[in-house]
Amino acid sequence: MTVFNLAIELAYWQQTVIRSVLALVAVLLPAGTLVYLYLFKMMSFMQSRLGPMEAGPYGSLQLLAEVGKFLQKEDLYPRAADRVVFKAAPFVVLASTFLLVLVLPAGPDAWFINIDTGVFLALAVSSISVIGILMAGWGSASKYSLIGGLRAAGQLVAYELPLVLAVMGVVIQAGTLNVQEIVLAQANGEIFGWGGIGNPFLITQFLGFIIFLVAVQAELTQPPFDMPVAESEIVTGYLTEYTGMRFLLFFIGEFATAGIFSALAATFFLGGWYFPGLDPTDNLFNLLGPVVLIGKMLLVSFLIFWFRFTYPRFREDQLQQLAWKVLVPLSLLNIVATGVLKVIF
Amino acid sequence: MSSPDTTEEELVDESIEPQEELVIDEERNVLISSLEKDLGDDLVDSHVVPGVDAWIRVTQESWLETAKVLFEKNEMIFFNFLSAIDWKPSPFGREMDAAIDADSSDEVVDESEMEWGVTGGQNRFQLLARVHNPSTNIGIHLKTDLEGEYPEVETWIPVYPGANWHEREVMEMFGISFTNHPNLVNLYLPSEFEGHPLRKDFPLLSRRAKPWPGIVDVELMPGEDDDESEDTGEET
Amino acid sequence: MNLEASTQQLSYIANQASDARVNIELETEGMTLNLGPQHPATHGTLRIIVRLDGEQVISAEPVMGYMHRGYEKLSEVRTYPQVTTLVNRIDWLGSFANEVPFILAAERLMEVEAPPRAQWIRTALFELSRIANVVLFLGDMAVQLGATTPVFYAFRDREFVLNQIESVTGGRFHPNFDRIGGIKDDLPKGWIQETKDVLARIHSFCDEMQDLVVGNEIFQTRTRGIGIIPADVGLSYGLSGANIRSSGVDWDLRRDGGVGLIHDQLDWKVWTHPDGDSFARYWVRLQEVRESCKMVDQILDGIPSGPIMAKVPRIIKVPAGEAYVETENPLGIMGYYIVSKGDLVPYRVKIRSASFNNVSITPWVLKGVYVPDVISILASLYFILGDIDR
């Protein structure tokens, strides 16, 4: 199968090139969109200011200016730093992002990989970023970075569990670990016999959706869970010593991951690339699907960023309490309920 | 007590309504007399500006004891500040018309020329502190004369923990050390700093580098014009 | 000096010994973390050496002096009117309030009293500078806890207050407007109505902060029960202002002090909070901004007419004597002890600034808390570096 069901047959290397380019787009496009739309503009409006206005109409070229600025900067590293670890860390974080995007289907035939353990893969590769952050924290040879790295590790490990457990409900209901089939299960589902909008799992798995969003917020180290980069306490944690290109890589990684997690949430709970009223096998979805998916992604990430700009941050121990005492029991409850209802209906 | 400003201070209160004055005056006098009873001979002098403020001067040995008495018996539980005054006349010219400080640091200042303020004094350095009673809203200033060029006095920390930083500041600025202070190191100045800046014989370097503009920037009062002000300026 | 060297040595040895003891007890190696002097959470250049066990603070020692300007020494070579220029820079967010106690102390020595109109305008500006100062705190405390939005609202609305201060005094930050015997100028035309509009904005800002910060569950979990200062400890450290009122001490010099401002002629209330934690300090300050708005509103309605300057000599010579005047400034009690020898310049000026005492409690209050709470407690104590270092 090809990425798009084109009239011409493509050789394997051609397909690979197209997929590589599209993967790059799939990582950079959400990152750029989110940074401009939410971080620059929505945040500014929420804080009653205009945000960037000079570069391009409404500051739309600000992003390019920022990237240009970072590219010009010198690539500094602390003298005491573990150089190899320090330099490799941003690439490890970004690798996790790139691997994560692979499982996302954007249409009936528009996918990067289509495997039966897609959900499992997604949740597994998302943990790789912990290693990158720990590397950054340790390799910087700075106490702020070390504290930040350790906080990040503790936090990401703690919130991995509710994240996985929240998705478990979806998996049980769909009866598959294949992401594409989860989308199809929602598209073909019926709500008490009415199949007008399919059956987005948001309705049946609402608790799971909330837990998933909270856990994603923590995975992304965004407020209220931004202790690893708390700028008022530990400056910016593991990012303290990074400059220029490497900082930019972390930055892209953060926002691309935000986009991809939102897209995952959209896929698991909002029906993914499917738009109600159309036939999910329609070839049109290979073109419409990515647009629908991005639209749903923006919807979910709006929530994520809204929380980000509103809430103060927790303390590390309060965050762990929230994870272990509230989210994990709730998600286990959700699984049990889903399993029981699945058997009954 | 016999200093000339006493009379001037008292003049101030006459402008205040006499009724109010009497009441508050009473409270402060009671305070002073109870302190006289508790401290005995250690209370050297006292001064009350009715309705405004109170001062006492105690001996150096009873400095900590006085704090205890004030804290325990008079409920002066609010620590306000602790500082010091150097009464030695400055060897540097401070006249308005002096372009810069006249360098007369080798000139020996006659210590007998020293004039003390409220409650008098006998030595060059005086500690000055203020404690307050928030419930009656009466505060009292304490003074004590310190012996010698680098005096030592007992720390107030056992009674008022807040005195810690104030004593460190006094130490570095005046060279007065406090016995039993747990951490008597410089607060503001770098540890290798030499000298004690708030002593009167410590020269102010910025005045030496650039002459002081002096009186030229005295501004006009509303309703006065330039000519008049120049006249007055020359007269003074 | 020999003495200093030996005390330093002793304290070093004592530190080493205490470290060794802690390490044996817990079998972990403590870590020394240096917060500052260039740290985003310190409003300037305060440095705090924190000894950590994990994220728990074993001991915290503030190091100051990066900004010490020696105002007490400099005041000794300035004439009285020139000193106000210096003291303006002590608490730079509410600078007009810094001038007031100094001028009042000089007036007490000179036995002059400002005419009523000057006193009313003085009080209005005094309260406006409190609003400008504390409004920034209300936003800043939230940003120290990680919420980015409130501080922008604070800067937005503080700007209007600064505009009003500027249109009277000509200076946004350093008005230098107070004079011995009165004030420099009268109010500009239309100022009263404009100020009323600004006060309405500040009221709605307070409501916003009530919803956005005080009502926020995360803010409450982060601040309630954190950094509790009992009233007796606070008083013996000399804590003042909202910091001591949030420990339940009902003491406000505006009501109790009775110096030459006209707060006693206004209808307002002193707010206290029994808890003494970070939340209480935030809450009390929020209420105080509201009270200040109420006060300014009443002042605007009731400013008497008349002169703004008393009769004072052309060249100000202050008679010999000593006077201490303290007022309830935005950060707490600020006082000036002036020793005059009848000269053009003060003989000695002791500046009692609020933040110096407020911050001196940090080694006590920071013991045993977590690193994030270090920031929230410091933020809630609300200091300004110029007010510590003078």
Side-chain angles (χ1 to χ4, degrees):
Chain A
M1 284 217 212
T2 52
V3 178
F4 297 116
N5 203 357
L6 300 171
I8 45 161
E9 279 295 313
L10 292 174
Y12 181 74
W13 69 268
Q14 289 168 320
Q15 290 185 25
T16 312
V17 167
I18 290 175
R19 283 177 193 202
S20 306
V21 170
L22 286 180
L24 208 58
V25 170
V27 169
L28 291 180
L29 185 74
T33 320
L34 293 184
V35 169
Y36 174 71
L37 205 60
Y38 291 151
L39 190 68
F40 286 170
K41 280 302 175 185
M42 188 182 85
M43 182 188 189
S44 304
F45 290 145
M46 281 184 174
Q47 296 172 347
S48 66
R49 55 197 174 92
L50 284 174
M53 289 297 282
E54 296 296 324
Y58 298 97
S60 52
L61 299 178
Q62 182 67 28
L63 209 57
L64 290 179
E66 298 277 344
V67 170
K69 181 190 78 177
F70 279 119
L71 289 180
Q72 288 169 31
K73 283 189 175 175
E74 192 184 349
D75 185 21
L76 294 172
Y77 54 88
R79 183 175 291 169
D82 191 334
R83 277 172 66 177
V84 179
V85 175
F86 182 80
K87 291 191 163 180
F91 294 101
V92 176
V93 173
L94 211 59
S96 154
T97 314
F98 270 99
L99 289 173
L100 198 56
V101 83
L102 292 184
V103 297
L104 271 177
D109 300 312
W111 36 258
F112 297 106
I113 49 169
N114 186 8
I115 52 172
D116 284 341
T117 52
V119 175
F120 179 74
L121 178 70
L123 298 173
V125 296
S126 74
S127 312
I128 293 177
S129 65
V130 184
I131 299 169
I133 288 171
L134 261 182
M135 283 165 70
W138 178 255
S140 299
S142 152
K143 286 170 183 171
Y144 292 123
S145 299
L146 183 60
I147 293 178
L150 290 176
R151 281 183 179 186
Q155 173 176 336
L156 298 188
V157 169
Y159 278 82
E160 202 76 357
L161 200 56
L163 190 77
V164 172
L165 294 176
V167 180
M168 239 44 226
V170 172
V171 172
I172 292 172
Q173 202 176 351
T176 175
L177 278 169
N178 188 322
V179 183
Q180 184 73 294
E181 284 172 23
I182 290 177
V183 175
L184 290 175
Q186 296 178 71
N188 297 326
E190 289 175 342
I191 305 166
F192 297 115
W194 177 65
I197 55 164
N199 181 18
F201 290 154
L202 177 67
I203 298 165
T204 46
Q205 294 290 328
F206 188 72
L207 185 62
F209 179 66
I210 298 296
I211 294 168
F212 189 83
L213 271 192
V214 173
V216 162
Q217 197 87 1
E219 288 280 302
L220 294 171
T221 65
Q222 299 222 28
F225 306 104
D226 66 334
M227 289 72 99
V229 290
E231 77 292 332
S232 59
E233 295 157 22
I234 48 173
V235 195
T236 42
Y238 59 88
L239 297 173
T240 307
E241 305 291 345
Y242 281 92
T243 55
M245 188 63 197
R246 277 168 224 283
F247 180 81
L248 183 65
L249 290 180
F250 270 117
F251 198 74
I252 292 174
E254 184 188 339
F255 283 90
T257 316
I260 292 163
F261 266 118
S262 314
L264 273 178
T267 307
F268 290 147
F269 297 99
L270 300 177
W273 48 261
Y274 173 69
F275 193 78
L278 295 169
D279 181 12
T281 54
D282 196 335
N283 213 358
L284 178 66
F285 266 118
N286 285 326
L287 290 174
L288 188 62
V291 179
V292 173
L293 189 64
I294 285 177
K296 289 180 179 176
M297 177 201 84
L298 288 179
L299 215 65
V300 177
S301 49
F302 169 76
L303 290 177
I304 290 178
F305 280 86
W306 189 11
F307 296 144
R308 177 188 172 125
F309 305 138
T310 310
Y311 280 107
R313 73 174 71 88
F314 277 111
R315 211 170 57 206
E316 193 68 22
D317 55 328
Q318 294 166 341
L319 160 117
Q320 298 286 355
Q321 277 177 11
L322 182 72
W324 297 107
K325 289 187 179 168
V326 180
L327 293 183
V328 170
L330 272 182
S331 48
L332 287 172
L333 199 71
N334 186 40
I335 291 175
V336 171
T338 313
V340 169
L341 291 173
K342 175 86 175 171
V343 172
I344 291 172
F345 291 105
Chain B
M1 200 56 159
S2 56
S3 61
D5 32 76
T6 314
T7 45
E8 289 178 15
E9 291 281 344
E10 275 161 357
L11 281 176
V12 182
D13 346 295
E14 286 175 8
S15 60
I16 294 167
E17 285 176 37
Q19 206 179 8
E20 194 183 11
E21 179 197 329
L22 270 174
V23 178
I24 301 171
D25 203 8
E26 188 82 358
E27 282 177 334
R28 288 201 168 85
N29 284 339
V30 167
L31 172 70
I32 297 287
S33 54
S34 93
L35 284 174
E36 267 166 5
K37 202 173 81 228
D38 288 327
L39 294 170
D41 288 343
D42 287 328
L43 184 80
V44 181
D45 202 352
S46 66
H47 175 72
V48 174
V49 179
V52 179
D53 231 331
W55 279 264
I56 56 169
R57 183 155 68 95
V58 297
T59 57
Q60 187 177 350
E61 296 75 36
S62 66
W63 181 242
L64 179 61
E65 185 59 33
T66 314
K68 279 181 185 156
V69 168
L70 283 168
F71 185 88
E72 285 158 12
K73 298 202 172 159
N74 297 296
E75 291 181 2
M76 294 281 179
I77 53 173
F78 179 74
F79 172 76
N80 213 323
F81 68 82
L82 186 147
S83 186
I85 304 174
D86 179 5
W87 289 108
K88 184 181 180 179
S90 168
F92 307 110
R94 290 186 194 281
E95 290 306 313
M96 300 298 296
D97 42 0
I100 56 168
D101 284 334
D103 186 10
S104 49
S105 45
D106 46 347
E107 199 176 293
V108 182
V109 178
D110 188 5
E111 301 226 345
S112 63
E113 282 176 11
M114 282 194 281
E115 287 173 17
W116 292 273
V118 177
T119 70
Q122 51 195 351
N123 289 331
R124 179 181 169 187
F125 291 109
Q126 266 188 342
L127 271 189
L128 168 72
R130 181 183 167 86
V131 290
H132 203 101
N133 181 348
S135 49
T136 59
N137 202 42
I138 282 187
I140 188 164
H141 294 279
L142 289 93
K143 284 183 174 178
T144 184
D145 285 300
L146 299 176
E147 291 284 344
E149 195 69 357
Y150 289 96
E152 279 198 21
V153 67
E154 263 186 294
T155 175
W156 262 18
I157 294 179
V159 186
Y160 297 107
N164 187 331
W165 286 13
H166 291 259
E167 288 177 355
R168 283 169 65 185
E169 194 191 355
V170 170
M171 186 276 292
E172 65 181 353
M173 293 296 173
F174 289 94
I176 298 168
S177 61
F178 293 84
T179 50
N180 301 327
H181 191 290
N183 183 27
L184 199 63
V185 293
N186 280 1
L187 183 70
Y188 290 130
L189 302 171
S191 51
E192 63 274 10
F193 192 88
E194 284 179 20
H196 303 286
L198 280 182
R199 289 189 170 197
K200 289 286 177 185
D201 49 11
F202 187 90
L204 186 59
L205 278 179
S206 60
R207 276 253 347 235
R208 314 197 145 252
K210 190 167 181 283
W212 188 35
I215 204 167
V216 293
D217 56 351
V218 171
E219 64 181 36
L220 296 176
M221 292 292 148
E224 280 179 342
D225 49 2
D226 279 335
D227 309 22
E228 195 186 335
S229 75
E230 272 173 25
D231 292 343
T232 345
E234 278 166 18
E235 277 169 28
T236 335
Chain C
M1 218 166 67
N2 225 352
L3 173 81
E4 289 170 24
S6 68
T7 46
Q8 272 178 348
Q9 228 165 17
L10 276 175
S11 70
Y12 177 74
I13 293 168
N15 271 336
Q16 293 289 310
S18 69
D19 288 351
R21 205 187 65 239
V22 167
N23 288 348
I24 290 164
E25 280 170 359
L26 301 167
E27 293 189 348
T28 54
E29 206 174 320
M31 181 168 89
T32 308
L33 187 70
N34 216 341
L35 293 177
Q38 303 286 334
H39 190 271
T42 55
H43 309 247
T45 48
L46 179 70
R47 174 178 165 212
I48 301 176
I49 301 171
V50 194
R51 289 202 54 76
L52 295 177
D53 174 38
E55 285 223 15
Q56 204 161 21
V57 176
I58 304 171
S59 71
E61 184 60 39
V63 180
M64 289 104 60
Y66 295 95
M67 215 188 189
H68 188 244
R69 295 153 291 179
Y71 281 166
E72 293 183 12
K73 183 82 176 173
L74 290 175
S75 303
E76 292 173 6
V77 294
R78 299 282 193 286
T79 61
Y80 284 87
Q82 285 170 337
V83 172
T84 53
T85 322
L86 292 180
V87 300
N88 249 317
R89 272 106 179 132
I90 290 176
D91 159 18
W92 52 65
L93 292 181
S95 25
F96 181 79
N98 294 322
E99 305 169 13
V100 173
F102 180 82
I103 292 292
L104 289 174
E107 282 179 359
R108 182 180 287 176
L109 282 173
M110 288 182 67
E111 300 165 30
V112 282
E113 199 177 343
R117 184 171 172 85
Q119 287 186 11
W120 281 68
I121 296 174
R122 232 181 230 176
T123 314
L125 288 171
F126 188 78
E127 291 304 322
L128 277 179
S129 56
R130 177 191 314 278
I131 294 171
N133 187 329
V134 181
V135 157
L136 197 58
F137 161 81
L138 296 176
D140 177 74
M141 170 94 182
V143 89
Q144 305 287 9
L145 293 176
T148 42
T149 305
V151 76
F152 286 97
Y153 293 164
F155 272 114
R156 178 194 67 194
D157 289 337
R158 185 185 72 136
E159 207 61 23
F160 296 109
V161 183
L162 288 182
N163 285 344
Q164 291 315 102
I165 294 175
E166 186 190 5
S167 61
V168 181
T169 65
R172 272 158 48 86
F173 273 97
H174 303 302
N176 196 18
F177 189 66
D178 216 352
R179 296 287 183 274
I180 294 173
I183 49 171
K184 182 172 176 290
D185 263 323
D186 213 328
L187 298 176
K189 200 176 173 188
W191 188 79
I192 289 179
Q193 193 49 47
E194 280 170 24
T195 310
K196 287 206 165 192
D197 299 343
V198 169
L199 290 178
R201 273 178 181 277
I202 298 295
H203 266 300
S204 72
F205 168 80
C206 288
D207 295 341
E208 250 170 9
M209 289 299 116
Q210 182 90 37
D211 295 343
L212 197 58
V213 182
V214 173
N216 188 309
E217 292 84 359
I218 297 178
F219 180 82
Q220 295 203 6
T221 48
R222 278 299 304 278
T223 52
R224 276 197 191 269
I226 303 295
I228 296 176
I229 300 174
D232 55 338
V233 177
L235 285 169
S236 66
Y237 273 93
L239 249 67
S240 53
N243 289 331
I244 200 69
R245 280 193 289 279
S246 57
S247 298
V249 179
D250 188 14
W251 180 37
D252 192 320
L253 282 178
R254 288 175 287 174
R255 184 191 59 194
D256 308 322
V259 286
L261 296 172
I262 51 111
H263 288 106
D264 48 345
Q265 300 174 38
L266 306 173
D267 174 33
W268 61 288
K269 182 173 165 13
V270 177
W271 288 89
T272 58
H273 199 289
D275 288 357
D277 53 10
S278 299
F279 179 81
R281 291 190 276 275
Y282 189 92
W283 186 86
V284 167
R285 288 206 173 89
L286 181 63
Q287 306 308 323
E288 285 191 356
V289 174
R290 289 184 167 147
E291 290 300 324
S292 293
C293 288
K294 259 164 67 181
M295 279 187 239
V296 179
D297 210 32
Q298 294 169 42
I299 292 170
L300 295 178
D301 288 334
I303 293 183
S305 57
I308 53 163
M309 276 297 283
K311 196 74 193 151
V312 285
R314 186 81 215 93
I315 304 292
I316 287 170
K317 270 195 178 176
V318 174
E322 295 177 29
Y324 176 73
V325 171
E326 51 186 9
T327 52
E328 189 76 29
N329 274 35
L331 296 166
I333 290 175
M334 174 171 228
Y336 293 86
Y337 191 97
I338 299 179
V339 181
S340 172
K341 285 198 165 179
D343 214 342
L344 287 162
V345 295
Y347 184 75
R348 164 120 176 81
V349 178
K350 162 67 191 168
I351 304 169
R352 191 267 186 221
S353 60
S355 293
F356 184 69
N357 279 35
N358 289 352
V359 171
S360 75
I361 203 173
T362 47
W364 185 88
V365 76
L366 291 183
K367 207 165 273 179
V369 303
Y370 294 103
V371 174
D373 292 337
V374 171
I375 307 302
S376 72
I377 292 170
L378 279 179
S380 74
L381 282 173
Y382 192 34
F383 56 87
I384 283 174
L385 247 291
D387 207 35
I388 303 175
D389 280 1
R390 299 190 301 259

